[in-house]
Amino acid sequence: MNSISNIVKGLGDSWRKNPKTVLISVLCTGSFVLGVSLTHIFENYKQSRQKRSDRENAGACREYNSSSFYYGDSAKQLQTIPDGIRRLPDEFYGKLVQSCVIACCDCLIVRVNKLTDERECLLVERKDEPAKGLWWFPGGRILKGETFFQAALRKTTEETGLSDAAAIQILGVYQTFFSKSHWEDKKEGGVNCGTQTMNMVVLVEVSDSAEVTVDESINRFRWTRIENPDTNKSNGDDPYIVAVLRRLQSWDSTFVKK
């Protein structure tokens, strides 16, 4: 109490001698304290928003975990099923698309652009239904016996020609519903049930020097920056693309820091 009294007395003496100086000192001190307090509140608010965003977009698996489980002594032999068995005839597969949900793997193919040191992902313009004319991820049906990583690497090579690739992480699973189908019955009175897919999205990394050579299912391709999914959204990228990039942003600590 004595120390507080001494401070108050000192301020009183200073006020009588030079009130202007005391007033300036009080205002400066108050401004400083207010600034520090507001900065602390703002930082807490930003961290809280980031945590909420991370929770909303969380769901990826740990890196290099393919989430595959095998049961029985010969279960892994499923990976050696001949293509003649697991690649279905067109007519049969068309009926399957009409009647079933198709298990697919989409590939978020990422490189680091050496010129800009920024991460970019590969998008392709689909030539056929479903998603005809849309900028999309390379991908397609998972074949019997394949893990998610194996399917991602196969589709990466088949559709883009990028063979020197590494499957890194399962980012999540999504559903897509299309009103059209590549396999719709075009006969008079034919039924079109559209296409429903369950898409496992896999992060695939490639080098900057790798050259893209698209297959006949793709019109063209482009690399797009991914450091800020909000920018991708503003640029008109598909909501599915933006959702996957948000998932990547929430889980890739290196990506978040960029």
Side-chain angles (χ1 to χ4, degrees):
M1 291 296 294
N2 290 334
S3 60
I4 295 176
S5 299
N6 292 335
I7 292 174
V8 173
K9 181 180 179 182
L11 286 173
D13 292 341
S14 299
W15 179 264
R16 284 190 293 271
K17 293 178 180 178
N18 195 341
K20 184 177 179 180
T21 301
V22 173
L23 182 60
I24 292 174
S25 298
V26 170
L27 290 175
C28 289
T29 303
S31 299
F32 174 76
V33 172
L34 179 62
V36 171
S37 300
L38 289 176
T39 300
H40 181 70
I41 292 171
F42 181 67
E43 288 300 320
N44 284 341
Y45 173 71
K46 280 186 9 182
Q47 292 178 11
S48 176
R49 284 197 62 182
Q50 183 62 51
K51 288 179 180 178
R52 285 200 299 272
S53 175
D54 288 348
R55 283 197 297 270
E56 289 174 1
N57 297 291
C61 296
R62 287 189 176 277
E63 292 88 340
Y64 306 106
N65 176 9
S66 69
S67 296
S68 300
F69 300 88
Y70 297 89
Y71 299 89
D73 295 336
S74 61
K76 284 198 173 184
Q77 291 180 7
L78 286 171
Q79 296 184 14
T80 61
I81 294 176
D83 274 357
I85 296 177
R86 62 181 184 174
R87 290 186 183 273
L88 305 175
D90 286 352
E91 183 178 357
F92 179 79
Y93 184 58
K95 292 180 179 178
L96 194 67
V97 171
Q98 290 283 0
S99 305
C100 302
V101 178
I102 306 301
C104 295
C105 181
D106 281 341
C107 310
L108 176 58
I109 302 173
V110 173
R111 72 174 185 182
V112 176
N113 188 318
K114 291 182 179 179
L115 296 178
T116 62
D117 197 34
E118 293 180 336
R119 301 223 305 179
E120 300 172 331
C121 80
L122 181 66
L123 297 180
V124 295
E125 186 184 47
R126 310 303 302 190
K127 185 181 293 185
D128 302 317
E129 299 291 359
K132 180 179 180 179
L134 295 181
W135 286 98
W136 210 253
F137 296 123
R141 184 171 71 89
I142 300 172
L143 302 182
K144 187 175 179 65
E146 285 186 322
T147 66
F148 300 133
F149 283 1
Q150 290 168 343
L153 293 177
R154 175 179 59 83
K155 292 307 297 183
T156 295
T157 301
E158 288 179 353
E159 294 197 1
T160 71
L162 298 171
S163 58
D164 187 15
I168 304 299
Q169 185 180 23
I170 299 169
L171 291 174
V173 60
Y174 300 82
Q175 285 191 96
T176 51
F177 298 81
F178 299 96
S179 61
K180 295 184 178 181
S181 169
H182 180 67
W183 306 97
E184 67 180 85
D185 189 348
K186 296 182 173 63
K187 294 181 296 185
E188 185 176 353
V191 177
N192 175 33
C193 298
T195 306
Q196 181 180 350
T197 63
M198 178 179 64
N199 311 321
M200 191 64 61
V201 179
V202 176
L203 172 63
V204 176
E205 290 187 349
V206 297
S207 67
D208 176 61
S209 58
E211 292 189 10
V212 177
T213 305
V214 297
D215 71 359
E216 66 280 358
S217 68
I218 295 169
N219 284 322
R220 50 185 175 159
F221 72 91
R222 64 181 171 92
W223 293 95
T224 184
R225 294 168 56 188
I226 58 174
E227 65 180 31
N228 187 348
D230 288 333
T231 301
N232 295 90
K233 181 179 179 180
S234 299
N235 290 340
D237 284 333
D238 191 88
Y240 174 47
I241 304 297
V242 175
V244 172
L245 294 182
R246 292 195 193 282
R247 179 70 56 87
L248 175 64
Q249 185 184 49
S250 294
W251 276 85
D252 187 343
S253 59
T254 302
F255 178 70
V256 171
K257 291 177 183 177
K258 278 206 166 204

